[in-house]
Amino acid sequence: MLMVATGNKAVAAAVKDAKPSVVAAYPITPQSEVVEKIAEYVVSGEMQARYIPVESEHSAMTACIGASVTGVRTFTATSSHGLLYMHEMLHWAAGARLPIVMANINRSLGPGWNVWAEHTDAYSQRDSGWLQFFVADVQEAYDTTLMAFRIAENTGILLPVMVNLDGFLLSHIIQSLDTVDPGDYLPPMELPHAIDTANPAGYGTLTGPQDHFRFRWEIERAMRNAPAVIREAEDEFFKRFGRKYGPTDEYLCEDADVLILSLGTLGREAEVSVDILRKEGIKAGSMRVRWFRPFPELNFGDRELVVIDRGYSFGFGGVLADSIRSRYHDASIYSVIAGLGGQEVTYDDIAGFVRDRKMGEEFWFGVDA
Amino acid sequence: MSEIPKEEYIEKCTTACAGCTSSLALRYVLKAAGPDTVLVVPACCTSILQGAYPKTAFSVPVYNIAFAAAAACASGMSEAFLSMGKKTNVIVYAGDGGTVDIGIQALSGALERGTDFLYICYDNEAYGNTGMQRSGATPAGARTTTTPGGKTDAKKDLDRIIAAHNIPYQATATPAYPKDLYEKVKTALATPGPSFLHILIPCPPGWRISSDMSVTVGKMAVKTGSFVLWERKYGELTISSPSKTAMKRRAPLRDYLSVQGRFKGISDKAVNELEQAIEKNITQLTKEEAGEC
Ligand SMILES: Cc1ncc(C[n+]2csc(CCOP(=O)(O)OP(=O)(O)O)c2C)c(N)n1
Ligand code: SF4
């Protein structure tokens, strides 16, 4: 069905179409519209889910855990401080191998209070065992949320999935949206370790070092299975619904001498920058990274990389830049830190990063002299 | 009154301390609940005494969850069972720390939302799992590892906090009176919506009593009025018969305190304050039962 929607409403529509049994959520700017819309769907009967309006994000994630372990499909959404308030339970969800899907509307962290886009919230949950995707437009937010359920619930994965949308820049912009009927693209969820009172067992009991270590390895093994499973989900999505996705979204990369790497909406701006730069004779390309965990295999050849991070690991470096540097030791990187707290970064600014690039250095946009 | 069933849902070899009345209470809880039950257990003694992976000492599924999270987990589980049309009992079995301290927000939320579950706080009046530190439920005057001079603050009034949520069923119990406990679990599970049970758990290492004394000390708690047994159904309070009997001639509080090592060296002032708190609590409960408040 063709319509127009915000990024938030696109996520809510995808959740409705995925037909979860339980949604537990707590509002936070700029995510609130997602949970309000879902609440409306439930009240109007468009969605059959049980909606649990919990008293905190810690409880939102925990209620999803309690529901998911009975073997039903669950969803929640959050942002920023909400995500960090869930932190303990994010590790729990992954450790318990529960295919919970969550939309995270990327926002900065206080102090001071700032409600605008930043990736620090998602970055800070990088090592929690969640799969993470970053999306750049309304249609992709919808499509990726649908795919997230299929990927999370694949029995070779059984890990939770986070879909990241830039606060306001995507959560609140209106674009056209084409919804689908997922049909058997989303088969009923089958959790092999669902609670069964006819077959009692202990879940998350005291566990010795050997077993614990093995369980962590199994999480990593699922992460290593994930690229094939995600590709299959994306290919099947393309076959059925005609929209193509992959680990990256590439624009004029093939013959490029310099690649702009980024996450989320910055990647869309970068495409315009590429057009500008090409007119000036600079052979640039944009490689927007969609999969953040598992981190994809990338092929740069010997091209220069301008990596833009909307977040930072203090005392270390830009997180995307460092992920690339640690995988590809020979990569020639100009690391740009830009857009924190919703700082405006235009395509002209991005073109400027490429023109003025100083390989091997780090540049804080708007702060560095 | 029905007979307590013979079926056991806790195997003999748990890793509980000798004389643990929490495992005793849980034994009756599960007898009353039966096999179509899921226990939700936050970090506490129970998460230890059920045994280590891959074994379990309980013959109902036990879902272990983080310390602050028990009631929220049960909320999700209960709603999921509802979505499937199942009637499975969802019972939280949480310590006093996981209830009156870190877990109180999630508990309050679940009660307010009308979650269909039974929340049981087994109250050993300290953090047993981590080595007997004080909790909000530790009584004034009791020595714990973090109140080595005796706790200076009073026990948090959990029951009145719960009562303020106006839930359909609420009761107090102790395994020293197993029939009373058993019947209360039955009633709680038969009542739709949230139910709450506060069980007093004399704990040999925490209370510094010998392990053969824990049931006796539980009786003394009731006989001295330190712990009053009652139930409140849809707002109507009834004081339970062991406490009714005890109130006719209360046993001296000193008897209860002096058998417990944790009250060693308690000041007369602190004992007086405990006495006054008991008086006040009994007066309030009696008035409420008579419909005078
Ligand atoms: C967030 C968090 N903080 C601290 C702990 C450590 N911890 C585990 S159990 C426990 C005390 C439990 O006390 P209580 O709820 O009274 O139950 P009991 O151990 O007495 O059965 C503590 C402090 C934890 N697991 N999680
Ligand atoms: S510390 Fe107390 S409550 Fe915990 S297992 Fe031992 S006796 Fe039972």
Side-chain angles (χ1 to χ4, degrees), chain B residues 132-267:
Chain B
M132 303 311 161
Q133 297 85 11
R134 63 88 89 178
S135 82
T138 303
R143 288 171 193 270
T144 67
T145 53
T146 48
T147 54
K151 192 188 180 207
T152 48
D153 318 296
K155 184 178 172 95
K156 200 190 271 190
D157 195 342
L158 172 65
D159 295 319
R160 289 193 172 85
I161 295 171
I162 302 302
H165 292 78
N166 294 314
I167 57 171
Y169 185 77
Q170 184 188 358
T172 59
T174 169
Y177 296 92
K179 265 238 132 121
D180 179 72
L181 165 60
Y182 176 84
E183 290 298 333
K184 284 170 175 169
V185 177
K186 279 270 180 211
T187 312
L189 291 173
T191 311
S195 307
F196 189 89
L197 206 56
H198 180 188
I199 307 184
L200 186 74
I201 296 297
C203 158
W207 294 20
R208 303 189 208 167
I209 54 179
S210 66
S211 53
D212 57 347
M213 279 291 285
S214 52
V215 171
T216 309
V217 171
K219 288 210 159 83
M220 288 170 89
V222 172
K223 287 182 177 158
T224 55
S226 296
F227 193 74
V228 182
L229 302 177
W230 48 261
E231 63 184 342
R232 197 185 274 118
K233 291 184 198 165
Y234 296 104
E236 290 279 319
L237 183 109
T238 318
I239 296 174
S240 314
S241 56
S243 283
K244 275 255 159 69
T245 314
M247 278 173 198
K248 287 186 187 131
R249 236 188 79 213
R250 280 210 323 267
L253 177 63
R254 285 267 179 203
D255 293 357
Y256 176 58
L257 301 181
S258 60
V259 289
Q260 302 178 50
R262 62 177 176 157
F263 288 110
K264 203 168 159 213
I266 189 174
S267 67

Side-chain angles (χ1 to χ4, degrees), chain A residues 88, chain B residues 43-46 67 95-98 102 122 124 126-130 135:
Chain A
E88 177 186 34
Chain B
C44 62
C45 287
T46 316
F67 201 20
D96 45 296
I102 198 168
Y122 69 92
N124 61 2
Y127 297 159
N129 176 289
T130 39
S135 82

Side-chain angles (χ1 to χ4, degrees), chain A residues 50 55-56 203 205-206, chain B residues 50 53 62 64 79 105 113:
Chain A
R50 316 264 328 167
E55 77 296 334
S56 78
Y203 294 79
T205 40
L206 189 72
Chain B
Q50 71 196 56
Y53 176 86
V62 184
N64 291 274
E79 294 291 337
Q105 169 183 303
R113 287 191 301 273

Side-chain angles (χ1 to χ4, degrees), chain A residues 83-84 86-96 102 119-132 134 159-160 162 164 212 215-217 219-220 223 292-295 312-313 316 319-320 322-323 326-327:
Chain A
L83 185 71
L84 264 66
M86 286 179 180
H87 175 72
E88 177 186 34
M89 305 319 292
L90 292 192
H91 280 267
W92 204 284
M102 170 163 67
H119 294 157
T120 305
D121 54 1
Y123 283 169
S124 73
Q125 306 307 317
R126 188 190 63 180
D127 304 329
S128 61
W130 281 62
L131 278 68
Q132 285 201 36
F134 280 80
L159 284 174
M162 188 188 304
N164 287 289
H212 178 84
F215 292 157
R216 297 308 107 165
W217 159 239
I219 293 174
E220 174 53 18
M223 277 286 180
F292 180 61
R293 284 293 178 277
F295 200 75
Y312 199 73
S313 171
F316 201 78
V319 174
L320 181 60
D322 285 320
S323 303
S326 61
R327 275 275 177 90

Side-chain angles (χ1 to χ4, degrees), chain A residues 105-173:
Chain A
I105 316 303
N106 301 109
R107 173 189 142 180
S108 64
L109 297 159
W113 285 115
N114 173 293
V115 297
W116 293 285
E118 190 175 309
H119 294 157
T120 305
D121 54 1
Y123 283 169
S124 73
Q125 306 307 317
R126 188 190 63 180
D127 304 329
S128 61
W130 281 62
L131 278 68
Q132 285 201 36
F133 300 105
F134 280 80
V135 302
D137 63 40
V138 167
Q139 186 67 58
E140 189 187 1
Y142 175 89
D143 294 346
T144 307
T145 305
L146 269 191
M147 288 189 273
F149 286 102
R150 177 170 165 128
I151 295 161
E153 293 169 14
N154 181 295
T155 48
I157 307 293
L158 294 179
L159 284 174
V161 175
M162 188 188 304
V163 180
N164 287 289
L165 288 73
D166 282 321
F168 295 106
L169 299 171
L170 177 50
S171 65
H172 284 67
I173 59 151

Side-chain angles (χ1 to χ4, degrees), chain B residues 76-99:
Chain B
M77 208 175 267
S78 164
E79 294 291 337
F81 283 134
L82 272 172
S83 79
M84 293 185 268
K86 285 192 185 171
K87 291 229 174 290
T88 303
N89 298 316
V90 177
I91 303 181
V92 172
Y93 199 68
D96 45 296
T99 304

Side-chain angles (χ1 to χ4, degrees), chain A residues 8-24 34-35 37-39 41-42 46-49 51 73-77 101-103 141-149 163 179 182 186:
Chain A
N8 279 343
K9 285 191 174 139
V11 169
V15 174
K16 170 172 72 69
D17 295 340
K19 301 187 175 65
S21 299
V22 174
V23 174
V34 178
V35 301
K37 193 68 205 164
I38 291 176
Y41 283 142
V42 172
E46 286 171 89
M47 242 176 109
Q48 302 300 322
Y51 181 87
R73 184 169 293 159
T74 58
F75 175 83
T76 189
V101 172
M102 170 163 67
Y142 175 89
D143 294 346
T144 307
T145 305
L146 269 191
M147 288 189 273
F149 286 102
V163 180
T179 64
L186 288 183

